[in-house]
Amino acid sequence: MPKSASDSPSRPPLSTQKARPPTHIDGEAAQPLRRLTRQHFALYRGYLDGVADAQLHATYGDGSTDVRATRRLIATLRDTLSVLARRARDVEAAHLLRLRPGSIPLAELHGAPDLPTLEDFRDRVDPDGVFGESELLDLYRAEYPPDASPRVDRRIARNARLRRRQADALARMEASLAQEPRPDHPLDGWFEPAVAGRLASAGLVTLADLLELIEARRHRWYTAVPRLGPRGAQRITDWLSLHAQALQHALSPLALVPRRQLPAGHPALTRARPAVSDGHARIVPLEAFRPPATLDGEHGANRASGPNRIGAKTDLQAVEAWLSRPSNSVHTARAYRREAERLLLWSVVAKGKPISSLTKTDCAEYVESFLKDPQPAGMWVGRARAERFQREWRPFLGALSDRSRETARTILNALGAWLVDVAYLASNPFDEIRRIAKPAALDASGRTLGHAQWRFVLSATPCADSTAAGHRDHVALLFAYATGLRRTELASATTGDLVCAPDAEHAADAWELIVPGRREAKRSVPIPRALMDAFRENLRLRGMPEPRACPAGTPLLAHARTGETLSADGLGKIYKGIFARAAARLESQSPAASRDLMRATTHWLRHTHSNHALDRGAELRDVRENLGHASLSTTALYVSNAARRRRAIDALLPSTGVESTD
């Protein structure tokens, strides 16, 4: 019995698949079909089996069209198959495949004109079109047994033979005509001319070109194709997924869904540790790195005698132990991993030594020469968009500046000192490497807002904005200005970090924010009443309760649409947008002040907080505690010439209507 379309899984629309036909069939213009695929035959098999047009369209049709498009495709298939059968001198197939599907005249079989028709019976017992025509007939006969007679038996047998011959004819045509796509096939053989033209305008010629673009650009690949939107792209990727076996290429999950929708640890986001070939390690991220046994450091020349306190046998285990220590910020942990990873790869791949065998001369070469110009560039330098799980990933994006090399030297010196401290290394090979550059002193000049400038930015971000994003931006601006927190501290703050001040006279109105600091230290930052009210209003707009009743981990600054935590980079873009909108409003009144605002970043609000607090008489030590500076001398740098700079900035706003308080 032929398999009905309803037995098949949901498939991409056949409107993207084409086959090569005659342009005119029996005197009538035919819809062009460039290639016949097995999905075309499955559609026509379901049609011959009596499946309703609506069900065929739901299974095989294009979601952007209605059932009429599937009916036209069936008519085209009927004409095309008939002509091709005649050309193959298969007269029987040419005749059988043009017969419309039908059923045995039920009333005639039963001799009773008042029995329900097959369509009425289908609507009652099979409204979803699950059964094929022959299966439905069996159910009908079971409920309404026909009168036994030789004539009825002959009609049933003749009908069954006709169906078998029809199915055999279609199977013969499928065996000789159905084609499978191959990577080297031109695109115009498989897609509609309009779609193929758009793909060609993006420089795509074959199916292999299309697959390469999708894997490189991932789920938003269609942005590289003119006039191709997400719905059209979805139909194309559905078709490619359907033919993955024939194309010998299964699309990566990253090509089908956004990365953020994949759970942490998904195989698509990790790279398996490669086998070491020919005794040589490859340039891969730290989590996938596996050096040869001769270079793993177990017998390194600089290994300390006796057991070490971290139980590490190899350099990789020792480095992973160092990186696994608690870090005060995500950015610090990322920087430590980056520098340790680069050194480990260079030591094993370029020098052919484990880290535990590096000498002071080797380390000086690494910091003073290699980091200045990683060569060969093809091996070490990659593109910015390549992620760690991609083969295109490289540990460098280019040569490092003097400050970046000094940062690397400082981090690696700390790594060496720690490995000596835990008795893994006998000596620290980085401890005598000279400084590359002096650390930059804090310079707030030209990177702070005057009082009038601050009030203008605040007025350009009104709290009464009708959008959730607008209200969030207003709260974010107040939050940064009132507390002076760093960008990462602002992004990571949650309702659970808010506590009532223990020594306040009216504890219900006095709040503090507990901010994690360096080396597991914490500091308390006062939250003004106006900012606390703004937090409550924003939580209410997000459908959240009072801060104390919020679920654990509820961010104070959240994504306006999803309510999820913002990344530090995402929050930085929000502040840049705030400054850009304020600068646009100021452009016609004061172009110089507008240009100044266009340069502003999140850190400007940190400088502005400290300068304005000192202007209002705050003690330097209190400002230092708010900012989280380790040294009072660092905070004191904010005071130098602060008044002169702010007066100069406020002087840029003569026509804003906002008076300066300086």
Side-chain angles (χ1 to χ4, degrees):
M1 180 178 65
K3 186 177 181 180
S4 71
S6 58
D7 296 326
S8 302
S10 177
R11 302 178 186 276
L14 284 168
S15 60
T16 58
Q17 307 173 32
K18 303 293 181 181
R20 239 177 257 289
T23 54
H24 291 80
I25 297 177
D26 294 344
E28 297 183 0
Q31 177 183 343
L33 287 170
R34 296 187 182 274
R35 294 185 190 273
L36 285 171
T37 69
R38 299 196 183 279
Q39 283 64 51
H40 284 117
F41 284 97
L43 166 65
Y44 202 68
R45 185 176 294 108
Y47 163 75
L48 294 178
D49 204 29
V51 178
D53 291 349
Q55 179 64 24
L56 290 172
H57 178 71
T59 305
Y60 296 100
D62 186 340
S64 63
T65 63
D66 58 26
V67 69
R68 291 174 294 181
T70 299
R71 288 171 181 159
R72 289 194 296 270
L73 181 57
I74 290 172
T76 303
L77 284 169
R78 181 172 60 245
D79 294 338
T80 302
L81 291 173
S82 178
V83 169
L84 294 177
R86 287 200 301 271
R87 288 180 179 176
R89 302 185 183 279
D90 192 340
V91 179
E92 181 185 38
H95 169 69
L96 290 172
L97 295 179
R98 289 193 66 85
L99 292 178
R100 296 186 61 83
S103 61
I104 301 173
L106 300 177
E108 181 182 347
L109 292 181
H110 291 76
D114 57 343
L115 289 176
T117 65
L118 184 62
E119 289 304 318
D120 292 338
F121 182 73
R122 186 197 304 274
D123 292 341
R124 179 168 65 84
V125 303
D126 188 28
D128 298 324
V130 174
F131 299 109
E133 182 82 3
S134 57
E135 295 170 311
L136 198 67
L137 280 172
D138 291 339
L139 293 175
Y140 188 96
R141 294 191 190 99
E143 188 165 339
Y144 303 103
D147 297 332
S149 69
R151 180 180 61 83
V152 170
D153 292 340
R154 285 195 299 272
R155 286 187 66 89
I156 292 175
R158 181 174 65 85
N159 185 276
R161 288 196 301 273
L162 183 64
R163 286 298 181 86
R164 285 196 298 271
R165 290 170 58 199
Q166 198 176 49
D168 291 342
L170 187 63
R172 291 197 302 274
M173 297 294 291
E174 181 176 6
S176 61
L177 297 174
Q179 300 183 53
E180 296 288 358
R182 296 200 311 266
D184 59 343
H185 279 173
L187 293 171
D188 61 2
W190 291 101
F191 299 103
E192 295 176 356
V195 174
R198 292 168 189 166
L199 296 173
S201 66
L204 307 177
V205 179
T206 65
L207 290 171
D209 296 337
L210 177 60
L211 290 168
E212 183 179 357
L213 174 69
I214 294 175
E215 293 294 3
R217 300 293 291 267
R218 302 208 288 267
H219 77 284
R220 287 183 57 81
W221 65 271
Y222 58 86
T223 58
V225 180
R227 295 177 292 118
L228 182 65
R231 293 183 63 184
Q234 182 66 54
R235 291 195 290 272
I236 291 174
T237 53
D238 284 346
W239 185 85
L240 292 171
S241 297
L242 179 66
H243 293 285
Q245 184 174 0
L247 293 170
Q248 298 181 346
H249 184 100
L251 289 173
S252 163
L254 290 165
L256 303 176
V257 297
R259 177 185 173 183
R260 64 179 179 274
Q261 294 182 11
L262 297 177
H266 190 280
L269 302 178
T270 58
R271 191 190 300 190
R273 293 192 175 218
V276 178
S277 60
D278 301 327
H280 297 287
R282 303 173 185 174
I283 302 294
V284 294
L286 187 65
E287 60 271 15
F289 186 66
R290 186 170 62 189
T294 55
L295 299 175
D296 65 6
E298 186 172 0
H299 304 290
N302 191 29
R303 285 290 298 267
S305 59
N308 56 79
R309 295 203 299 271
I310 54 176
K313 292 183 178 181
T314 66
D315 291 350
L316 182 60
Q317 293 174 356
V319 168
E320 289 175 340
W322 182 65
L323 294 176
S324 66
R325 298 174 307 149
S327 175
N328 61 294
S329 75
V330 174
H331 293 283
T332 300
R334 186 181 301 150
Y336 282 17
R337 181 193 66 185
R338 179 185 65 234
E339 300 306 335
E341 179 177 66
R342 288 172 172 174
L343 177 66
L344 185 61
L345 289 171
W346 176 82
S347 177
V348 173
V349 176
K351 296 297 289 183
K353 291 182 176 183
I355 287 181
S356 55
S357 292
L358 291 178
T359 65
K360 296 183 185 296
T361 302
D362 295 329
C363 294
E365 176 190 349
Y366 176 75
V367 173
E368 298 174 3
S369 300
F370 180 74
L371 293 183
K372 195 173 185 178
D373 186 19
Q375 291 295 330
M379 175 185 293
W380 295 100
V381 180
R383 57 185 179 87
R385 291 180 59 88
E387 300 194 59
R388 296 179 66 81
F389 52 83
Q390 294 180 300
R391 292 187 178 276
E392 297 80 10
W393 176 89
R394 296 293 183 270
F396 293 91
L397 299 179
L400 300 190
S401 67
D402 288 350
R403 289 189 60 184
S404 296
R405 287 192 294 135
E406 174 59 22
T407 299
R409 187 201 65 81
T410 303
I411 292 174
L412 295 177
N413 186 41
L415 168 62
W418 185 82
L419 292 176
V420 171
D421 185 58
V422 297
Y424 183 82
L425 292 182
S427 63
N428 178 9
F430 282 94
D431 64 354
E432 294 182 4
I433 305 300
R434 66 180 181 86
R435 287 181 178 271
I436 302 299
K438 293 182 179 180
L442 176 64
D443 179 16
S445 61
R447 295 193 297 139
T448 189
L449 302 178
H451 292 280
Q453 201 173 20
W454 156 249
R455 289 195 297 274
F456 184 86
V457 173
L458 185 61
S459 66
T461 314
C463 182
D465 194 292
S466 59
T467 66
H471 191 275
R472 187 269 323 279
D473 291 357
H474 178 82
V475 175
L477 192 61
L478 289 179
F479 191 13
Y481 175 76
T483 62
L485 297 183
R486 301 176 179 89
R487 188 176 64 176
T488 54
E489 295 169 342
L490 293 167
S492 61
T494 68
T495 53
D497 298 327
L498 291 170
V499 297
C500 288
D503 55 348
E505 295 181 3
H506 303 286
D509 296 326
W511 290 79
E512 293 179 346
L513 184 76
I514 306 301
V515 182
R518 298 179 184 274
R519 299 176 181 86
E520 302 183 358
K522 296 181 179 180
R523 69 184 193 275
S524 299
V525 178
I527 300 297
R529 182 181 301 179
L531 177 58
M532 198 65 204
D533 291 342
F535 282 149
R536 290 192 179 99
E537 177 63 15
N538 188 256
L539 289 170
R540 186 187 65 80
L541 293 175
R542 289 156 53 188
M544 305 296 291
E546 283 284 307
R548 291 179 178 177
C550 284
T554 301
L556 289 175
L557 299 178
H559 192 288
R561 181 167 51 84
T562 65
E564 296 179 353
T565 302
L566 292 164
S567 67
D569 290 340
L571 186 58
K573 292 178 181 178
I574 288 175
Y575 286 117
K576 288 294 290 184
I578 291 173
F579 290 130
R581 289 191 294 271
R585 289 184 55 180
L586 192 58
E587 174 66 28
S588 60
Q589 303 175 43
S590 180
S594 175
R595 289 192 298 271
D596 196 57
L597 279 182
M598 286 299 295
R599 297 190 301 110
T601 63
T602 313
H603 212 71
W604 282 42
L605 294 171
R606 183 168 165 85
H607 294 310
T608 302
H609 161 83
S610 57
N611 282 327
H612 289 195
L614 292 170
D615 284 346
R616 295 187 179 95
E619 293 291 336
L620 190 62
R621 292 185 179 277
D622 294 335
V623 174
R624 180 191 72 99
E625 291 180 6
N626 273 6
L627 298 178
H629 285 157
S631 171
L632 190 64
S633 60
T634 303
T635 312
L637 292 173
Y638 283 98
V639 183
S640 176
N641 297 323
R644 178 179 58 80
R645 291 196 306 272
R646 287 191 297 280
R647 281 195 295 270
I649 292 173
D650 285 349
L652 296 175
L653 301 170
S655 59
T656 60
V658 181
E659 298 180 359
S660 173
T661 59
D662 281 349

